Structures are given as C-alpha cells and as structure tokens.
Amino acid sequence: QTVVTQEPSFSVSPGGTVTLTCGLSSGSVSSDYYPTWYQQTPGQAPRTVIYSTNTRSSGVPDRFSGSILGNKAALTITGAQADDESDYYCVLYMGSGISVFGGGTKLTVL
Amino acid sequence: QVQLQESGPGLVKPSETLSLTCTVSGYSISSGYFWGWIRQSPGKGLEWIGTTHYSGGTYYSSSLKSRVTISADTSKNQFSLKLTSVTAADTAVYYCARRRGSTGAYWFDAWGQGTLVTVSS
C-alpha cells in the first residue's frame, strides 16, 4: 500500500519562510493527486488551508501557498507567525473515491 | 451555516461493533455533497475512513474496508459509521465532516468537534 510521507517536524523563525512537503513512498506527486493541506492545533478539529494543489481555502491568509515542487506537493508559509505553530497534514486523492492522509508535520515557530 | 455533531458510546468492548452518528444542522444532506469520517488515534495523525452520499455512493479506506460501513439517513439528516470487530488500535477521536469539491479535488470544509471512542474491556 502506498504511504503518504511528510516530515515529522520542522521549525521556523518568526517572519521566516518554511516549506513543508508531501510525497509518496512509491512514485511522484502531481496535481492529479489534488493535494490538500489541513492545519490542526491541539484539541481542535482540522481546518483546510489549501486544496487542489494551490487554492487557498476561504479566510486563509495569503502567506500560505501550495505548489508541486519536484516530485512532491508543497505547502509554503512566507512570513511565519506564532499562531502558525500547528500540525499540518496533507491528503492525496488516490482515485476511486479514496483519499489518504500523510503522517503530519509538527511545525514549531521559534 | 452547517454544523456537525458526533454522538455515540465513548467505550466499546474489544471484538464488538463501534457505532457513531453524525447529526447535521444548517444543511440538508440530501442537497448534495459527500459526508465522511476521519479518525485520530491519541497522539497520532489523521486517518481517512470513508465517505458517503445520500444517494448511496460510498468509498472506504483500503485498510478498513472489510470492517466499515458508512450510511446516510436523510429523514433524520444524519449519517453513521459502523466499525466491526474493534481492537485497542481503533481507539481514537472520530470526526465527521462534509466533503466538497469534484473530480478528485476534494476537501473537508466543515467538521464536527470529534468524539473519543475507547476500546477496552
């Protein structure tokens, strides 16, 4: 079974730029996987940040952007703020109505 | 504004069936969209379980397919999750959510608050 891979953790300084990635254990991620990114803080339900590779969800600041970088999907935060400190999960569409979450990246802003 | 609320037993015995219901308010599930379940084991990541449409279309995670059933009840504006033969590994916070989008470009735009289900004797 194909596994969706993410960095377990990442840190960024306030005001800095960070790129989180989402890959596959076998193969390359393209826009055909319609990558979606969710942000989750402790004790809360996730909220959508990016869907369909690079579309920001309603109300999401424009410092968040999505793209395909090489063979992975990417979520870039430009000008990170303290309240961006969260867990970030990508989801890839595998076809036949099925999606799979990645393991998540814990982002620390310090 | 759509709201979702999970309900069901917080404790289930091993080998029994986990049953949860998601009550939707502010939107009629028969108006469209798919409705799904996602879970999160304590301290772990999110896991996509499956989605259903009121008309009957249903999709399940490959790893859970043999044990899971998701269905919709338009008369009550609810949808449900049943997971059979549970073990401690099924202990998790279970979220229900509304799925938007089309042709693979899907995302969950509204979520319940989540409900913790513990599998233990």
Side-chain angles (χ1 to χ4, degrees), chain B residues 5-29:
Chain B
Q5 178 67 58
E6 305 90 351
S7 59
L11 181 64
V12 181
K13 290 182 168 56
S15 79
E16 296 190 343
T17 296
L18 179 160
S19 296
L20 294 175
T21 297
C22 183
T23 300
V24 180
S25 58
Y27 187 87
S28 171
I29 66 172

Side-chain angles (χ1 to χ4, degrees), chain A residues 34 36 38 40 48 89 96 101, chain B residues 40 46 59 103-104 106 108:
Chain A
Y34 302 99
T36 298
Y38 294 94
Q40 186 184 36
T48 308
Y89 294 91
S96 302
F101 277 91
Chain B
Q40 186 168 34
L46 298 166
Y59 303 99
T103 323
Y106 302 125
F108 292 111

Side-chain angles (χ1 to χ4, degrees), chain B residues 2-62:
Chain B
V2 62
Q3 292 185 315
L4 298 90
Q5 178 67 58
E6 305 90 351
S7 59
L11 181 64
V12 181
K13 290 182 168 56
S15 79
E16 296 190 343
T17 296
L18 179 160
S19 296
L20 294 175
T21 297
C22 183
T23 300
V24 180
S25 58
Y27 187 87
S28 171
I29 66 172
S30 58
S31 293
Y33 297 130
F34 272 73
W35 303 85
W37 291 94
I38 303 96
R39 71 180 182 178
Q40 186 168 34
S41 299
K44 303 293 186 182
L46 298 166
E47 181 179 13
W48 191 93
I49 299 173
T51 58
T52 191
H53 191 268
Y54 81 94
S55 64
T58 307
Y59 303 99
Y60 300 129
S61 159
S62 301

Side-chain angles (χ1 to χ4, degrees), chain B residues 69-112:
Chain B
T69 302
I70 298 174
S71 60
D73 184 342
T74 56
S75 67
K76 296 181 180 179
N77 215 39
Q78 296 174 334
F79 60 104
S80 65
L81 169 70
K82 292 188 187 301
L83 184 65
T84 62
S85 304
V86 298
T87 69
D90 296 308
T91 294
V93 173
Y94 286 76
Y95 293 100
C96 61
R98 182 176 73 174
R99 193 196 78 177
R100 298 194 64 171
S102 62
T103 323
Y106 302 125
W107 73 100
F108 292 111
D109 74 325
W111 296 68

